[in-house]
Amino acid sequence: LYTTVTTEAVVSTQSTGDTKTKAAEVTEKLKLSVKTGVDIERARDGYRKAANRGAVLFFVLSDMSVINPMYQYSLMAFLEVFNISLKRSLPDSLLNKRLKNIIDTLTQNIYTYACTGLFEIHKLLFSFQMTIKILQARNDLKSDELDFFVKGNISLEKSPRKKPHAWLPDQGWEDLIKFGEVCPDAGDVAGLVERQGEVWKKYHEMDDPESQPSPCNLDEKLNDFQKLCMLKCFRVDRVYRGVTNYVTGKMGEKYVTPPVVTFEAIFEQSSPISPVVFILSPGSDPASDLMKLADRTGFGGNRLKFLAMGQGQEKAALQLLDTAITRGQWLMLQNCHLLVNWLVDLEKALEKIQKPHPEFRLWLTTEPTPRFPVGILQRSFKVVTEPPNGLKLNLRQTYVKIPSTALQECTHEAFPELMFVLGFFHAVVQERRKYGKIGWNIPYDFNESDLRVCMELMKTYLDKSMEIDGKIPWSSLKYLIGEVMYGGRAIDNYDRRIINTYMDEYMGDFIFDSFQPFFFYKDKEVAYNIPKETHRDKFLEYIEELPLANTPCVFGLHSNAEIGYFTNAAKDMCSYMIELQPQTSSSDGGISREQYIEKVAVDIEEKLPALFELDRIRKQLGEITPTAVVLLQELERFNILISKMKISVATLQRALAGEVGMSAELDEIAKALFNGQIPASWRRLAPDTLKSLGNWIAHFTHRFEQYSGWIEKGEPAVMWLSGLHIPESYLTALVQATCRKNGWPLDKSTLYTTVTTHTKAEDVREKLHSGCYVEGLYLEGASWDVQSACLRKSKPKVLVEELPVLKIIPIEAHRLKLQNTFKTPVYTTSERRNAMGVGLVFEADLSTTDHSSHWVLQGVALMLNAD
């Protein structure tokens, strides 16, 4: 018993000792873990800069969906790029250097990743937005300066200070005054321009003002972004280049040089669980390039499956998908935008994939569509495919895809040269798209299949001609190529006129004239002619010697078209950036967003006139003539617009005060007023316009004044057509009134126009007995010589100029015999005509001493509104 008790006592003593030891160890470990936790937290905190940069880049990337619904990126996809960047960034023992390596690698990788899935026109926008957000995160960019850059001066009231010089744009002068308020460091820039006009005019007329020192030593006062804001006041067309220089200066040249995407690189980044989505643009077709990639990687033949999507292909697509997943095939589903509803089923099928064959790949092609499932887009690797940019690259692509023996397959000796003419024509009609509405009213999808079919047609007809007399059947070729194949896509008559003009300029026996050699285009620096070769490789050698960049003159356009292109690019960039900016920040003057919107709403409410009393006006007019009917219809529409605006601004003010709820429509109106834009609900009730809110309110007031004058003083001697909701109805009424008066048949009457010598409406002393005078027309693509009363080549850097007063006279069609005139379309805005034919008002006859083909290719047109 004693032994047992003693043993238990010893064990108990040892156990107590062990417990104390373990407790001490636990305490030490807890202290150590706390210290380790602090160390870990300190180490983690050191990497916070990299995390902040990652957060900025992710939100820049995700915000791009505002620009195009196809730009969808998930957090998981972003984290994959983030983790890859961490692995690839160079290690360093010094934390600051390690952080710099991580941040630089991450930023570059995100830029490369994003550019693969962005259209060319949005890549600089992405770089600029990325730069701005990075600078804002460091508090290196003021929000009011950025607000001014993207919106300009959006005040409803014009400045009392008169524009001092004619060369200065009207909006540029208003912006310049606002710039002085936003940027106090610049001082009174407007005053400097007033006092030293010649110095600033020289700056305004420079070819590259964005790269030159600012006048009056302002470089010492302004930072780079402020100089960019000032550049926009003088030369909107150079803002695009200015932004490029700004991003280069802040981030480096690699952020304005998008990476070249190869199909090998696309394949390396693809995986069995992430489909590759090709976002198509007009003229692009990735199918042939994918076939070549498949051949190079051993997936040619039966391992690559194609299916063009269309009605009834749903089941076949899902069956092919199941087979491809199991057997490790490549499957390409083309034109998925044609079956958008079915894509939901495809999304579900992709979610069910558990263990696909490691060699399985799914390739999808689609045009941009807002209905494409977000789930597929976020899990996919997006690739934008665009046709080559530039005449040289376009020609090169054409000849690279032609088999080496193709030019010897035709028996006619002229076939190789005519094939080059066809390739040049194909490149030209594609490149005109770059210049917007002055190139084509509607951007057509001219593609490789059009060229291939025309090539076969040309070969067939030339072979047949060899069996008869060997003469080239020009009329047949011009009709089949210009009217059927390429002209068949052109649904606009004026676009078809351009194609037929190219046919006349490029096809005929004159291209083989040895005494007067033919050139597509020739100047001091370059000559585009037809090489006298017979082998494809020789043509490729000639193409390689051509310059990479070309002027719009090669396509028959004026050099001003390049300025127009950059002007539109800058305006588009600013409109996109308005959408990307947060709508909750304070506005200028230190007032809140709500206060600013309320102020604008009150200003608009004060400018709104009373409704027109239609019954009283109808009695006042007495006899209702065709033009009086037009006036009453116009007033009725104008009353509807006034009523809508009054209700909108009154309800919006109540909503801002919290008296009523903020509906979706009121929220849209508030957003538009904040951004200086016309609300969509007002725009639907007004004539088409591209104006900002401030300029539109001035236009609205001018319309009211014209209607009031028409009621009080009778039909105006000079009509401002831009002030009419439907100007075509007034012109039709003129013809109708004249036909009634003279007893002419209405269906055999038309309009004759001639440009007067009156440069202002006030110069017109009396009304026409039949017809009318029209003011406020703007000429694009040419200038008007008042002395010679005919069209002339555009003045340098002058894109649009106001036409003198136009006389419009109704006349019997059989009596109208015109010579040396150009049928000029008159459009409502510079957007010209859309695919539905909306926008064309009438045709004007403008005198010319040049052949009409010159003005056709220059894209000459008249507009009722300047932007």
Side-chain angles (χ1 to χ4, degrees):
L1 181 64
Y2 172 78
T3 304
T4 303
V5 172
T6 305
T7 303
E8 287 180 359
V10 172
V11 170
S12 177
T13 305
Q14 288 177 345
S15 177
T16 304
D18 290 345
T19 301
K20 289 181 179 180
T21 304
K22 287 179 180 177
E25 288 177 5
V26 169
T27 304
E28 286 299 318
K29 286 179 179 178
L30 284 172
K31 290 179 181 178
L32 184 63
S33 68
V34 170
K35 183 176 179 299
T36 305
V38 171
D39 293 340
I40 290 172
E41 189 62 33
R42 189 183 298 115
R44 285 179 62 207
D45 201 54
Y47 286 87
R48 195 170 294 277
K49 288 183 180 178
N52 288 340
R53 174 61 62 89
V56 168
L57 294 176
F58 172 69
F59 286 113
V60 171
L61 198 62
S62 61
D63 285 348
M64 291 302 289
S65 61
V66 175
I67 307 302
N68 190 311
M70 303 300 287
Y71 299 160
Q72 299 284 348
Y73 300 93
S74 67
L75 180 60
M76 293 301 295
F78 175 82
L79 289 175
E80 283 183 25
V81 182
F82 191 95
N83 291 331
I84 290 170
S85 302
L86 286 177
K87 293 174 184 176
R88 292 182 180 175
S89 56
L90 293 173
D92 201 291
S93 56
L94 296 175
L95 179 60
N96 285 338
K97 288 188 177 180
R98 172 63 176 155
L99 281 173
K100 186 177 184 306
N101 293 341
I102 291 173
I103 289 172
D104 290 348
T105 305
L106 173 63
T107 308
Q108 179 63 36
N109 286 349
I110 290 295
Y111 174 71
T112 303
Y113 174 74
C115 282
T116 306
L118 296 179
F119 286 104
E120 195 68 34
I121 58 172
H122 298 145
K123 289 177 182 176
L124 182 62
L125 170 69
F126 177 75
S127 298
F128 190 38
Q129 181 72 358
M130 191 167 66
T131 305
I132 283 169
K133 292 299 181 183
I134 290 170
L135 292 175
Q136 285 183 323
R138 299 200 303 243
N139 295 319
D140 287 343
L141 184 62
K142 295 179 181 178
S143 59
D144 56 344
E145 290 178 2
L146 176 62
D147 200 53
F148 169 76
F149 177 79
V150 297
K151 297 178 185 176
N153 188 347
I154 57 175
S155 172
L156 299 184
E157 297 292 339
K158 299 298 178 185
S159 171
R161 294 174 73 171
K162 297 297 181 184
K163 187 176 73 169
H165 310 293
W167 51 264
L168 194 61
D170 292 340
Q171 187 59 45
W173 174 245
E174 297 293 331
D175 288 348
L176 202 58
I177 294 169
K178 180 73 174 178
F179 175 65
E181 299 171 8
V182 172
C183 181
D185 296 340
D188 184 16
V189 182
L192 290 174
V193 174
E194 284 177 323
R195 294 188 298 272
Q196 302 184 42
E198 286 302 315
V199 175
W200 287 94
K201 183 181 180 183
K202 202 174 290 184
Y203 172 77
H204 175 263
E205 293 179 350
M206 287 178 177
D207 290 333
D208 56 342
E210 72 281 357
S211 304
Q212 303 299 327
S214 303
C216 304
N217 297 320
L218 284 179
D219 283 348
E220 299 172 4
K221 301 179 181 179
L222 305 179
N223 61 35
D224 291 340
F225 192 79
Q226 290 167 345
K227 284 188 276 188
L228 193 59
C229 292
M230 190 178 73
L231 174 68
K232 190 185 175 191
C233 299
F234 290 94
R235 290 282 298 278
V236 178
D237 62 294
R238 301 309 299 175
V239 168
Y240 197 81
R241 295 290 189 192
V243 168
T244 303
N245 292 350
Y246 181 76
V247 174
T248 303
K250 296 295 180 183
M251 301 286 289
E253 192 174 349
K254 58 188 175 183
Y255 290 100
V256 293
T257 312
V260 178
V261 180
T262 64
F263 272 70
E264 281 76 9
I266 295 169
F267 177 56
E268 285 178 12
Q269 296 182 66
S270 66
S271 72
I273 58 172
S274 297
V276 177
V277 176
F278 291 105
I279 306 172
L280 305 176
S281 61
S284 65
D285 182 16
S288 59
D289 290 315
L290 183 65
M291 289 174 67
K292 292 175 184 174
L293 174 68
D295 290 335
R296 290 195 297 270
T297 52
F299 282 86
N302 291 329
R303 299 195 67 187
L304 173 61
K305 302 295 183 182
F306 286 91
L307 183 64
M309 300 306 294
Q311 191 171 2
Q313 297 292 346
E314 297 92 335
K315 289 184 179 179
L318 290 175
Q319 289 171 358
L320 285 172
L321 179 64
D322 289 338
T323 305
I325 292 170
T326 307
R327 299 181 180 178
Q329 296 173 341
W330 286 9
L331 174 61
M332 185 177 209
L333 302 180
Q334 297 173 286
N335 301 322
C336 292
H337 56 278
L338 300 179
L339 280 179
V340 177
N341 293 333
W342 172 80
L343 290 176
V344 177
D345 297 332
L346 177 64
E347 183 180 5
K348 292 176 182 176
L350 294 176
E351 287 173 355
K352 292 177 183 177
I353 297 176
Q354 296 295 330
K355 293 182 179 179
H357 193 287
E359 293 183 340
F360 162 69
R361 294 293 185 276
L362 177 62
W363 314 82
L364 308 176
T365 71
T366 178
E367 291 181 3
T369 170
R371 296 172 57 204
F372 202 97
V374 175
I376 296 179
L377 288 173
Q378 288 193 340
R379 70 183 295 169
S380 67
F381 180 61
K382 289 169 287 297
V383 180
V384 166
T385 59
E386 295 182 278
N389 185 19
L391 194 64
K392 175 180 178 176
L393 297 181
N394 215 307
L395 270 172
R396 182 203 285 165
Q397 177 175 273
T398 295
Y399 270 83
V400 164
K401 292 185 177 181
I402 292 175
S404 57
T405 58
L407 300 183
Q408 283 74 47
E409 291 175 0
C410 180
T411 55
H412 202 291
E413 62 179 0
F415 179 69
E417 291 166 89
L418 286 178
M419 186 56 221
F420 186 82
V421 172
L422 183 61
F424 194 91
F425 165 74
H426 178 72
V428 165
V429 296
Q430 285 193 309
E431 286 300 303
R432 276 187 79 100
R433 278 200 303 257
K434 169 184 174 182
Y435 301 100
K437 293 293 183 175
I438 204 169
W440 298 108
N441 277 344
I442 301 158
Y444 300 106
D445 184 17
F446 300 120
N447 55 42
E448 192 183 335
S449 61
D450 298 319
L451 181 67
R452 281 201 303 265
V453 173
C454 289
M455 182 179 170
E456 290 299 320
L457 283 172
M458 188 177 287
K459 177 178 173 297
T460 302
Y461 273 76
L462 289 178
D463 282 337
K464 285 183 178 178
S465 72
M466 289 299 291
E467 297 172 6
I468 305 171
D469 55 6
K471 291 183 179 179
I472 300 173
W474 291 116
S475 57
S476 298
L477 290 176
K478 285 158 72 172
Y479 179 80
L480 288 169
I481 297 171
E483 286 284 356
V484 178
M485 291 307 304
Y486 286 86
R489 290 188 182 273
I491 59 177
D492 182 86
N493 290 335
Y494 297 104
D495 287 341
R496 197 176 295 113
R497 183 170 72 168
I498 291 173
I499 292 173
N500 289 329
T501 301
Y502 278 127
M503 288 288 101
D504 293 336
E505 294 289 319
Y506 291 173
M507 289 197 167
D509 289 327
F510 57 85
I511 66 174
F512 301 114
D513 192 339
S514 55
F515 295 101
Q516 190 174 354
F518 171 77
F519 292 94
F520 295 105
Y521 173 76
K522 184 181 181 182
D523 61 17
K524 295 177 181 177
E525 297 176 358
V526 65
Y528 292 90
N529 61 345
I530 305 173
K532 305 292 182 183
E533 305 291 348
T534 56
H535 294 283
R536 186 200 68 169
D537 294 344
K538 292 292 183 182
F539 280 100
L540 278 170
E541 289 176 12
Y542 170 81
I543 292 167
E544 289 302 323
E545 293 174 1
L546 296 175
L548 191 61
N550 50 266
T551 71
C553 302
V554 179
F555 317 124
L557 292 163
H558 192 273
S559 56
N560 282 350
E562 194 83 33
I563 297 174
Y565 165 73
F566 284 117
T567 301
N568 291 332
K571 288 180 178 178
D572 289 344
M573 180 184 288
C574 289
S575 64
Y576 288 141
M577 290 191 69
I578 288 174
E579 297 296 320
L580 291 170
Q581 300 314 305
Q583 299 294 318
T584 55
S585 59
S586 296
S587 182
D588 59 334
I591 61 176
S592 69
R593 177 180 183 269
E594 287 72 22
Q595 290 172 321
Y596 178 80
I597 292 169
E598 186 177 13
K599 177 177 175 295
V600 174
V602 170
D603 287 348
I604 291 174
E605 192 173 35
E606 291 173 354
K607 294 177 184 296
L608 292 177
L611 296 176
F612 287 106
E613 299 176 22
L614 295 181
D615 291 336
R616 180 186 65 79
I617 293 168
R618 191 176 283 107
K619 290 177 183 177
Q620 181 181 329
L621 290 173
E623 182 188 355
I624 303 299
T625 62
T627 52
V629 172
V630 171
L631 173 61
L632 292 170
Q633 291 173 342
E634 287 286 324
L635 294 179
E636 189 176 347
R637 293 187 184 93
F638 198 67
N639 275 353
I640 294 171
L641 176 60
I642 294 172
S643 299
K644 181 66 178 177
M645 292 173 69
K646 282 185 173 181
I647 293 170
S648 296
V649 293
T651 312
L652 178 61
Q653 290 176 68
R654 292 182 63 196
L656 291 171
E659 296 175 10
V660 296
M662 182 72 80
S663 65
E665 182 181 339
L666 289 176
D667 189 52
E668 186 275 328
I669 292 171
K671 180 181 176 182
L673 298 187
F674 181 68
N675 292 328
Q677 299 169 334
I678 308 168
S681 56
W682 300 359
R683 188 185 290 276
R684 283 193 293 269
L685 301 173
D688 287 339
T689 182
L690 301 176
K691 297 179 185 293
S692 63
L693 179 63
N695 290 328
W696 183 76
I697 291 293
H699 182 271
F700 173 87
T701 306
H702 193 179
R703 287 181 68 199
F704 174 75
E705 291 168 356
Q706 175 165 271
Y707 289 142
S708 300
W710 193 344
I711 295 165
E712 300 300 326
K713 302 176 185 176
E715 195 173 331
V718 182
M719 180 61 70
W720 180 52
L721 278 184
S722 311
L724 301 182
H725 191 105
I726 306 179
E728 305 97 296
S729 63
Y730 178 73
L731 298 176
T732 304
L734 286 178
V735 176
Q736 191 177 0
T738 306
C739 288
R740 283 184 186 178
K741 181 180 175 183
N742 298 327
W744 298 343
L746 185 61
D747 61 335
K748 294 182 180 178
S749 301
T750 186
L751 292 172
Y752 164 68
T753 65
T754 180
V755 182
T756 68
T757 55
H758 306 306
T759 54
K760 296 179 181 177
E762 294 77 20
D763 298 339
V764 178
R765 299 298 180 191
E766 59 182 26
K767 250 179 83 173
L768 290 172
H769 295 296
S770 62
C772 71
Y773 291 105
V774 170
E775 66 164 329
L777 296 177
Y778 296 89
L779 183 63
E780 183 180 27
S783 65
W784 184 258
D785 188 334
V786 178
Q787 301 297 325
S788 304
C790 66
L791 287 169
R792 286 283 185 258
K793 186 179 178 183
S794 293
K795 296 165 188 165
K797 297 186 176 69
V798 179
L799 305 184
V800 176
E801 67 172 50
E802 190 168 357
L803 193 74
V805 175
L806 185 73
K807 185 196 291 185
I808 302 179
I809 304 169
I811 189 172
E812 289 181 286
H814 72 273
R815 294 175 55 197
L816 187 62
K817 308 293 182 185
L818 296 174
Q819 286 186 331
N820 300 324
T821 57
F822 175 61
K823 284 281 185 187
T824 311
V826 182
Y827 300 104
T828 308
T829 69
S830 61
E831 280 294 294
R832 302 201 176 192
R833 187 177 180 177
N834 64 18
M836 302 300 291
V838 177
L840 180 67
V841 182
F842 69 102
E843 273 189 337
D845 305 306
L846 300 184
S847 298
T848 175
T849 54
D850 295 299
H851 195 272
S852 61
S853 63
H854 176 73
W855 307 117
V856 169
L857 298 184
Q858 296 253 315
V860 174
L862 287 166
M863 268 79 65
L864 299 184
N865 290 279
D867 296 348

